Amino acid sequence: MLFRFLLIIFSVCLIIIPSAAEIICIETNQNVLVFETDNDNRLLQTYFGKKLLNASDYGLIRSQNKQSDSNGGVFNHIYTPSGTWNLVEPALTVLHADGNRGTDLQYVEHEQRIVSNDVVETKILLQDPVYKTQVILVFKSYLNHDVIEQWAEIKNNEKKPIILEKYASANLNFMNREYYLTHFHGYWAKEMQPEQTKLTSGIKTIDSKLGTRANIYNHPVFMLSFDQPATEEAGLVLLGTLAWSGNFKLQFEVDPYHNLRLISGINPYASAYPLQTGEVFITPAFIFTYSEEGKGKASRHLHSWMRKHRLLDGEGSRMTLLNNWEATYFKFDQQKLHTLIGDAKNLGVDLFLLDDGWFGNKHPRNNPRQGLGDWQHNVEKLPNGISSLVKEANENGVKFGIWVEPEMVNPKSELYEKHPEWVIRQAERPEVYFRNQLVLDLSNPQVQEFVYDTMDEILSIKPEISYVKWDCNAVIFNAHSSYLETKGQMQSQLYVDYVKGLYKVLERLRVKYPTLPMMLCSGGGGRVDYEVLRYFTEFWPSDNTDPIERVFIQWNNSYFYPSIATCCHITAWSDVGIKFKTDVAMMGKMGYDLVVEKLSEDEMKFSQQVLKDYSRLKDIIWYGDLYRLQSPYENPYASLMYVDEKKNKAVVFNYVISNRYYDNYSPVAVKLQGLNPQREYIVKEINLFEGKNSPIQTKAYTGEFLMKNGVNPILRKGRTSVVLEVTAQ
Ligand code: GLA
């Protein structure tokens, strides 16, 4: 026996059921996933949704529904294997040592244990009766957040190596009238564009084959509404994602009985993975939440879960910053940086962030075509080195951060000249570049060592660097590893081993630098997911900082990522004016990336004041509950608000996102949410230029009034963004 079946006091499923079937429930506070064995000892998923009042009813579900059909090879198995009785999309395909591809998975036993007040773990052991291949499905239920994290552990019990051809993380089954999938696609500067599709018969696939910055075309996050499209406040909806920083595949198959099978995992594309005798392959986690009260509640659950259980320092603090990228690009020297550090101090931000262009000597990084990989400071631009800059910043009361892109190399670099074998490329073919660069082979332990040492060296500079922006600006072309070749390993391991190598480096760095704030960037939002955020405190959602575009990009990111992790900078993109830009940046983790000198005196004063207000209100924005009030997809304006847990304070953001004349006059009050109806709240407009009066009278209203009738932000021409501070009396 691998593990013993444990009785858990609160498990409502330990009930006497009429048949000999085994019933397993994976519960959160609100919801439950129910599994039941059939006569052949296959474990089938019979229910997904809100818990039923009467737990004994779970045993009745299977008899009432049509979820499997042995004639058609259709099954609601919880981890569908292939090559035997199943003919629908599998979760697992194994090439056994004898050349067969048939696998059966039967239930053996399961175990449930309480990990903490909030977490219960269930492990279910499945096994092939012929080959003894084992799969342990692990489900971690985060009770208070209604979040489930699940993954598979696949073990080779054969005498020879086997090859995993498909190895999904999750296989869920649903029985509803209709299914509406919202996925998010895009490209550089237009990341996270939502698209809603009604799922019809057949398979809808969302995937990535880009290797590194896997999110440029499709993001590994989605929303699935059942019966009808969910709204913010109503409807049945699942928000899910694969926690993996490489190629992913999300499949949605509607079968002949109109049941939906969701299979999510590493993309099997060019990724057959060998497993030696006795070895275990642990898949990445699939993480999801489910709500019967719309998308708003589901995303609030993900935010609080993220902050508490996943995001590095998720309940900690963050720094405001001034980044020099858009102010200088590659054109700067010590003197210029001296001025910019002074600007950071004047503005009142916490940190100055030095971006790309500070390194490379033989091939100075004065443009994106060279120098990447040579991580020594450029002695011409910065004769006194980085440490003198850190010192200067600190003397000015600001911290110092630095940009790196350690996974990459320009062919024109000393690193490439010295170690062409460290680069992912096919030596016989012409090289294919993405932003003039290639990707280092992180499947190679020597390359992992190099990346770690590079970072360690930079972070050992004294006085200390306080912040890192970690970029990743190329995808993998010509996927070939000379390391795997030398070791006689399969080339199809590369995509997976690259990501594992990346995690190894990050893991090691976090042992030595556990709390150092690090921003994850990838030419904007080309790489962010629920696994990599274990190592990063924040991410850069897009290089597109046009504030109107950002309202949309940040809106969509806000379904999955908490505002504390979402970097929003005020830049020179667009000419809507500093107020609109600031109001948009303030709804996330705020920063600046502009020429401070170009700000007028009024704009400077305005920005200094906002930074003070942000510091006062950031806890509400970062840790509060987010309510999306008016969608920019359905209105010519957008409104959203954050409320603190105790309902003492809220911040409401409103934006006009249309140029049309009448759209500039908000006709109705915006109904707030999440307040205490009994209490009185003072509503006050903030983020105003000095001397500018608000047409909104600072005044008290009851929470009930603000939620039932709402408050009119009086958006109009000249007032295209309005921020309101709402304070309980
Ligand atoms: C990427 C990032 C930018 C900047 C440049 C530097 O494009 O998204 O913010 O850091 O790289 O080369």
Side-chain angles (χ1 to χ4, degrees):
M1 286 291 223
L2 189 80
F3 38 67
R4 300 219 153 268
F5 179 76
L6 297 181
L7 292 185
I8 302 293
I9 314 113
F10 65 87
S11 173
V12 290
C13 284
L14 296 179
I15 47 171
I16 299 176
I17 44 165
S19 70
E22 187 79 50
I23 293 194
I24 304 169
C25 297
I26 313 290
E27 293 178 304
T28 61
N29 281 355
Q30 298 287 321
N31 306 319
V32 65
L33 258 170
V34 181
F35 305 146
E36 184 178 331
T37 50
D38 68 2
N39 293 340
D40 296 316
N41 222 15
R42 294 172 190 135
L43 196 57
L44 309 178
Q45 184 194 319
T46 55
Y47 182 78
F48 173 84
K50 207 160 180 170
K51 284 188 208 170
L52 300 183
L53 290 177
N54 203 348
S56 59
D57 287 351
Y58 295 133
L60 305 173
I61 294 173
R62 221 181 119 220
S63 61
Q64 304 300 312
N65 296 303
K66 184 74 180 165
Q67 282 192 284
S68 51
D69 173 357
S70 53
N71 279 338
V74 174
F75 288 89
N76 49 325
H77 199 276
I78 68 162
Y79 198 69
T80 319
S82 48
T84 48
W85 39 263
N86 163 59
L87 298 176
V88 293
E89 188 59 29
L92 178 73
T93 304
V94 178
L95 176 58
H96 296 286
D98 61 6
N100 279 328
R101 278 194 172 80
T103 306
D104 186 7
L105 285 178
Q106 292 181 353
Y107 168 79
V108 180
E109 59 185 353
H110 75 283
E111 170 194 77
Q112 286 190 312
R113 76 185 175 94
I114 299 171
V115 179
S116 69
N117 292 345
D118 184 28
V119 185
V120 173
E121 188 181 77
T122 308
K123 289 186 172 187
I124 302 173
L125 174 63
L126 309 173
Q127 182 166 290
D128 185 302
V130 175
Y131 292 100
K132 309 294 176 211
T133 310
Q134 283 183 342
V135 175
I136 297 175
L137 292 180
V138 186
F139 297 82
K140 250 180 153 179
S141 317
Y142 297 85
L143 311 180
N144 300 333
H145 302 91
D146 281 326
V147 167
I148 294 178
E149 181 184 11
Q150 71 166 104
W151 66 89
E153 301 181 356
I154 307 160
K155 185 170 180 203
N156 176 11
N157 282 331
E158 294 184 42
K159 295 209 166 63
K160 290 193 179 153
I162 60 172
I163 293 173
L164 302 180
E165 294 184 335
K166 186 168 186 191
Y167 34 102
S169 301
N171 178 170
L172 294 173
N173 301 276
F174 310 98
M175 295 172 290
N176 292 78
R177 282 198 314 280
E178 306 293 353
Y179 310 98
Y180 294 87
L181 171 70
T182 306
H183 74 281
F184 298 84
H185 60 90
Y187 193 57
W188 178 79
K190 52 181 268 197
E191 295 85 355
M192 283 296 273
Q193 309 288 316
E195 190 159 307
Q196 185 173 286
T197 323
K198 182 172 173 177
L199 295 174
T200 53
S201 300
I203 303 183
K204 168 97 182 165
T205 298
I206 310 295
D207 78 343
S208 164
K209 304 182 187 73
L210 301 168
T212 47
R213 36 180 319 188
N215 303 7
I216 331 178
Y217 305 147
N218 283 307
H219 297 257
V221 290
F222 67 91
M223 299 196 257
L224 185 61
S225 298
F226 302 98
D227 298 337
Q228 57 196 14
T231 64
E232 285 295 324
E233 290 110 52
L236 318 181
V237 66
L238 178 151
L239 268 57
T241 185
L242 187 76
W244 179 247
S245 310
N247 296 346
F248 62 87
K249 188 165 194 165
L250 310 169
Q251 292 176 292
F252 303 84
E253 180 176 28
V254 177
D255 72 18
Y257 297 101
H258 206 67
N259 298 319
L260 174 68
R261 181 172 302 95
L262 158 59
I263 294 184
S264 155
I266 290 178
N267 196 340
Y269 161 77
S271 293
Y273 205 90
L275 207 56
Q276 305 303 316
T277 305
E279 250 181 20
V280 176
F281 184 93
I282 301 179
T283 71
F286 175 66
I287 297 166
F288 63 99
T289 189
Y290 173 72
S291 149
E292 298 205 344
E293 289 152 63
K295 300 184 275 189
K297 184 172 174 192
S299 72
R300 285 189 289 280
H301 273 153
L302 285 183
H303 295 165
S304 54
W305 178 83
M306 235 318 175
R307 288 192 302 260
K308 192 169 171 60
H309 293 287
R310 185 52 49 100
L311 176 69
L312 187 82
D313 204 19
E315 295 180 320
S317 193
R318 299 292 185 273
M319 286 182 278
T320 54
L321 58 81
L322 174 66
N323 192 179
N324 73 312
W325 176 241
E326 293 189 21
T328 64
Y329 295 103
F330 295 98
K331 275 202 189 121
F332 58 83
D333 57 17
Q334 210 162 269
Q335 186 49 39
K336 181 81 201 162
L337 296 182
H338 168 77
T339 315
L340 295 180
I341 288 170
D343 290 343
K345 181 188 176 189
N346 272 346
L347 194 58
V349 291
D350 301 314
L351 177 119
F352 173 73
L353 170 60
L354 173 59
D355 213 282
D356 196 356
W358 59 267
F359 49 88
N361 285 295
K362 180 172 172 195
H363 305 289
R365 179 77 173 168
N366 291 330
N367 59 59
R369 290 181 298 281
Q370 61 186 50
L372 208 52
D374 302 344
W375 297 103
Q376 294 74 38
H377 75 268
N378 180 284
V379 290
E380 240 171 73
K381 274 178 171 170
L382 308 172
N384 297 343
I386 300 295
S387 73
S388 82
L389 293 169
V390 185
K391 199 157 166 264
E392 192 187 334
N394 292 354
E395 280 164 7
N396 279 280
V398 277
K399 304 223 156 137
F400 189 89
I402 203 157
W403 179 95
V404 292
E405 197 183 356
E407 299 161 68
M408 303 285 159
V409 62
N410 281 130
K412 206 167 167 195
S413 68
E414 291 185 74
L415 179 65
Y416 184 96
E417 286 159 8
K418 218 163 126 198
H419 285 296
E421 81 285 5
W422 283 5
V423 180
I424 296 180
R425 58 198 268 274
Q426 283 184 25
E428 322 72 53
R429 292 189 190 280
E431 287 176 350
V432 186
Y433 305 124
F434 193 109
R435 210 192 185 215
N436 318 292
Q437 63 198 55
L438 292 164
V439 181
L440 292 176
D441 178 6
L442 272 176
S443 74
N444 182 344
Q446 279 183 320
V447 177
Q448 294 166 20
E449 197 69 28
F450 166 78
V451 175
Y452 176 83
D453 288 346
T454 299
M455 291 306 300
D456 193 30
E457 218 166 282
I458 295 170
L459 295 175
S460 304
I461 290 173
K462 293 281 176 293
E464 276 155 26
I465 287 174
S466 306
Y467 186 89
V468 166
K469 174 177 176 183
W470 180 302
D471 219 329
C472 168
N473 284 316
V475 297
I476 295 179
F477 291 114
N478 285 332
H480 177 268
S481 156
S482 46
Y483 168 76
L484 291 173
E485 189 178 318
T486 337
K487 291 281 165 197
Q489 291 178 337
M490 289 172 73
Q491 286 297 327
S492 56
Q493 284 176 241
L494 179 57
Y495 286 124
V496 172
D497 285 354
Y498 181 90
V499 180
K500 286 185 174 177
L502 172 68
Y503 292 157
K504 273 190 199 157
V505 173
L506 291 168
E507 195 70 52
R508 248 183 105 189
L509 278 172
R510 282 311 183 188
V511 170
K512 188 152 179 199
Y513 306 97
T515 54
L516 176 84
M518 291 214 298
M519 178 213 276
L520 177 63
C521 178
S522 185
R527 177 202 262 173
V528 59
D529 60 77
Y530 275 37
E531 188 62 22
V532 80
L533 287 180
R534 280 180 194 276
Y535 308 104
F536 289 85
T537 48
E538 54 223 72
F539 74 100
W540 183 233
S542 177
D543 279 348
N544 188 341
T545 47
D546 175 313
I548 301 267
E549 298 291 344
R550 271 294 182 130
V551 167
F552 289 88
I553 291 172
Q554 290 168 203
W555 184 272
N556 294 318
N557 272 292
S558 83
Y559 284 105
F560 302 94
Y561 303 105
S563 58
I564 190 171
T566 311
C567 294
C568 309
H569 292 182
I570 297 147
T571 74
W573 284 52
S574 151
D575 53 10
V576 295
I578 193 89
K579 171 166 164 59
F580 196 109
K581 294 175 182 185
T582 308
D583 290 354
V584 172
M586 197 175 175
M587 67 157 125
K589 208 232 90 176
M590 196 164 96
Y592 291 80
D593 194 347
L594 44 66
V595 183
V596 175
E597 275 176 0
K598 285 195 184 159
L599 294 178
S600 69
E601 203 179 310
D602 281 354
E603 288 173 334
M604 187 67 173
K605 270 197 195 148
F606 165 81
S607 305
Q608 287 165 333
Q609 183 55 45
V610 170
L611 277 162
K612 285 188 192 130
D613 284 339
Y614 185 67
S615 178
R616 199 166 51 75
L617 300 171
K618 65 190 181 192
D619 284 4
I620 297 143
I621 297 168
W622 292 347
Y623 319 122
D625 281 334
L626 168 66
Y627 292 87
R628 283 170 292 261
L629 307 172
Q630 301 199 95
S631 165
Y633 289 95
E634 291 156 16
N635 303 285
Y637 29 79
S639 297
L640 54 88
M641 69 184 283
Y642 298 94
V643 191
D644 76 334
E645 207 188 337
K646 296 207 167 110
K647 301 180 188 297
N648 283 334
K649 211 161 178 86
V651 189
V652 188
F653 296 92
N654 307 275
Y655 315 101
V656 178
I657 42 107
S658 160
N659 269 332
R660 300 193 65 186
Y661 181 78
Y662 282 106
D663 290 347
N664 275 273
Y665 297 90
S666 66
V668 287
V670 178
K671 289 183 181 143
L672 306 191
Q673 289 186 42
L675 302 176
N676 181 340
Q678 321 286 346
R679 293 177 78 177
E680 290 237 307
Y681 292 88
I682 306 239
V683 176
K684 181 180 177 216
E685 181 171 2
I686 57 167
N687 286 14
L688 290 163
F689 270 70
E690 203 178 65
K692 183 132 187 165
N693 291 326
S694 169
I696 297 172
Q697 198 193 341
T698 302
K699 186 173 149 32
Y701 304 88
T702 63
E704 185 198 30
F705 179 87
L706 291 171
M707 293 194 289
K708 285 256 157 66
N709 180 77
V711 57
N712 195 324
I714 318 186
L715 292 166
R716 61 176 181 231
K717 249 199 162 51
R719 276 176 62 77
T720 49
S721 69
V722 170
V723 182
L724 302 173
E725 183 175 343
V726 179
T727 313
Q729 298 240 52

